[in-house]
Amino acid sequence: MSNVRRTDAVLLLVALVWGSSYLSAQTATAALPVLLVLFARYALSALTCLGVVASRGRGARRWTRAELRAGVPLGVTQAAVLLVETYGVAHTSAANAGLIISLTIVLTPLLDRGGRRGALPVSFFAATGVCVLAVGLLMSGNGFHAPRLGDLLMLGAALIRAGHVALVGRFTTGRAIRPLHLTTVQTLVGTALFLPVAAHDLPTLAHAAPATWAQLVYLALLCSVFAFLAQTWAVQRTSASRASLLLGTEPVWAVAVGIALGGEHLTALTGLGAALMLTGTYWGQAVERAHRSAPEPRRPARHASTDHLDRDPDPADKDSACPAPPTTTAATTTSPTTTAPRTTLTTT
């Protein structure tokens, strides 16, 4: 498997895990307060990451300044995504929530300024539009309704998630940042943020049923530790726009899990939505890959008459511009040698 396909496969696996997280989150939040679930998810994730880091050599236990500088803001944005998204889902329908959060596919390329080849072509945004339409068909079976407060929260979650993915690319691409150490900082930041607001409910967590703990462990280990690690690893090897496109297939996996485990039924609109999602994703992948592999655009050559103003003067040019006075001896008179100014065309 090529590196590109391997990276795409990892991102699709993350989308699958996040798609399955809705069922686990619904089960956990039905038994425990939302903020307590988020705290437990982050705390278990942080303990797991710290354990893995501690099991490594002494040199691998240290965090670099770059990892701390990137991990703190990314931890804040990731926690904000989960918080706003969780409350948004609670105040709107699953159909509205799935459709609005899928706008991340379109918003991320607009916020992604880490690319080195300029803006993506219009065809990429056309492909993302097909994906958003596909999500609408996928979620239509759950019933749409007029906009509510939850819809505004989901729109905020989509904006924050798009910014988060773009920041992951900006902070990690081309830098010596280890995904495990970055994820550990993120989970520690999330734990610290949710601890004060969930502290009064901690006794409830101690009396949670084993099934609830199983859901919390799943959310922590797979939906947080694995997903955060894999997302950082993949974005370092591709672009934030491509990562967002592949992560945008999350509703497909959510519907698939709902059909397989939640007793939902496959309808004609759901099947059409899944087909459109695959089509839009494949199209967008091809456009992004061609854009990223294209040669860098060349800047137009500057005119020779002004080019010399932007470069250091040649020593010979200095001599010709200010010729030294001739040296005269009793036997001969020597004239200075004049070197014509050279004009170099610089093409970048």
Side-chain angles (χ1 to χ4, degrees), residues 133-205:
L133 174 61
V135 173
L137 294 175
L138 283 167
M139 308 303 294
S140 61
N142 296 320
F144 293 100
H145 58 62
R148 301 176 181 173
L149 173 62
D151 298 321
L152 295 177
L153 291 174
M154 292 306 300
L155 180 59
L159 284 167
I160 299 171
R161 181 188 281 192
H164 173 75
V165 177
L167 285 177
V168 171
R170 184 175 301 179
F171 289 160
T172 64
T173 302
R175 300 183 182 181
I177 292 181
R178 294 161 295 183
L180 175 60
H181 291 67
L182 181 65
T183 300
T184 304
V185 177
Q186 287 181 260
T187 55
L188 287 172
V189 170
T191 304
L193 290 174
F194 287 116
L195 176 59
V197 294
H200 63 282
D201 289 323
L202 288 178
T204 306
L205 183 63

Side-chain angles (χ1 to χ4, degrees), residues 6-22:
R6 185 182 299 111
T7 304
D8 290 350
V10 170
L11 288 169
L12 287 174
L13 187 57
V14 172
L16 189 156
V17 169
W18 277 348
S20 67
S21 69
Y22 289 104

Side-chain angles (χ1 to χ4, degrees), residues 22-23 109 111 163 258 337:
Y22 289 104
L23 191 59
L111 299 176
T337 303

Side-chain angles (χ1 to χ4, degrees), residues 6-336:
R6 185 182 299 111
T7 304
D8 290 350
V10 170
L11 288 169
L12 287 174
L13 187 57
V14 172
L16 189 156
V17 169
W18 277 348
S20 67
S21 69
Y22 289 104
L23 191 59
S24 297
Q26 286 177 350
T27 304
T29 53
L32 298 171
V34 172
L35 293 175
L36 185 60
V37 170
L38 291 173
F39 166 74
R41 175 175 178 175
Y42 268 105
L44 291 172
S45 302
L47 290 173
T48 303
C49 290
L50 286 172
V52 175
V53 172
S55 66
R56 299 196 166 194
R58 181 176 300 178
R61 298 174 189 171
R62 298 180 179 178
W63 278 262
T64 65
R65 186 174 299 179
E67 290 164 349
L68 293 175
R69 286 180 176 176
V72 172
L74 290 178
V76 173
T77 55
Q78 184 67 65
V81 171
L82 293 179
L83 178 64
V84 178
E85 184 177 297
T86 302
Y87 277 107
V89 170
H91 292 85
T92 188
S93 68
N96 284 38
L99 181 59
I100 295 173
I101 199 66
S102 69
L103 295 176
T104 304
I105 307 172
V106 181
L107 294 172
T108 302
L110 296 176
L111 299 176
D112 182 17
R113 292 293 179 263
R116 296 178 295 275
R117 299 181 182 277
L120 287 162
V122 177
S123 55
F124 181 84
F125 291 94
T128 59
V130 171
C131 292
V132 173
L133 174 61
V135 173
L137 294 175
L138 283 167
M139 308 303 294
S140 61
N142 296 320
F144 293 100
H145 58 62
R148 301 176 181 173
L149 173 62
D151 298 321
L152 295 177
L153 291 174
M154 292 306 300
L155 180 59
L159 284 167
I160 299 171
R161 181 188 281 192
H164 173 75
V165 177
L167 285 177
V168 171
R170 184 175 301 179
F171 289 160
T172 64
T173 302
R175 300 183 182 181
I177 292 181
R178 294 161 295 183
L180 175 60
H181 291 67
L182 181 65
T183 300
T184 304
V185 177
Q186 287 181 260
T187 55
L188 287 172
V189 170
T191 304
L193 290 174
F194 287 116
L195 176 59
V197 294
H200 63 282
D201 289 323
L202 288 178
T204 306
L205 183 63
H207 298 90
T212 303
W213 274 103
Q215 301 296 338
L216 293 175
V217 170
Y218 179 79
L219 289 171
L221 298 186
L222 286 180
C223 302
S224 293
V225 176
F226 164 74
F228 296 171
L229 274 171
Q231 183 186 53
T232 302
W233 177 88
V235 171
Q236 284 181 316
R237 288 158 177 77
T238 182
S239 67
S241 299
R242 186 183 185 89
S244 178
L245 180 66
L246 293 168
L247 294 175
T249 61
E250 178 183 332
V252 176
W253 306 111
V255 170
V257 171
I259 293 173
L261 303 177
E264 299 181 8
H265 301 285
L266 178 65
T267 64
L269 287 179
T270 302
L272 178 59
L276 282 177
M277 176 61 81
L278 294 175
T279 301
T281 303
Y282 184 81
W283 180 18
Q285 282 179 279
V287 172
E288 192 276 343
R289 184 168 56 248
H291 177 74
R292 186 152 43 92
S293 60
E296 291 280 0
R298 292 189 173 186
R299 298 177 183 176
R302 293 174 294 183
H303 195 275
S305 62
T306 61
D307 185 73
H308 67 279
L309 298 176
D310 298 328
R311 61 182 177 89
D312 294 332
D314 189 274
D317 296 340
K318 294 179 180 178
D319 292 340
S320 63
C322 301
T327 302
T328 306
T329 63
T332 60
T333 300
T334 305
S335 300

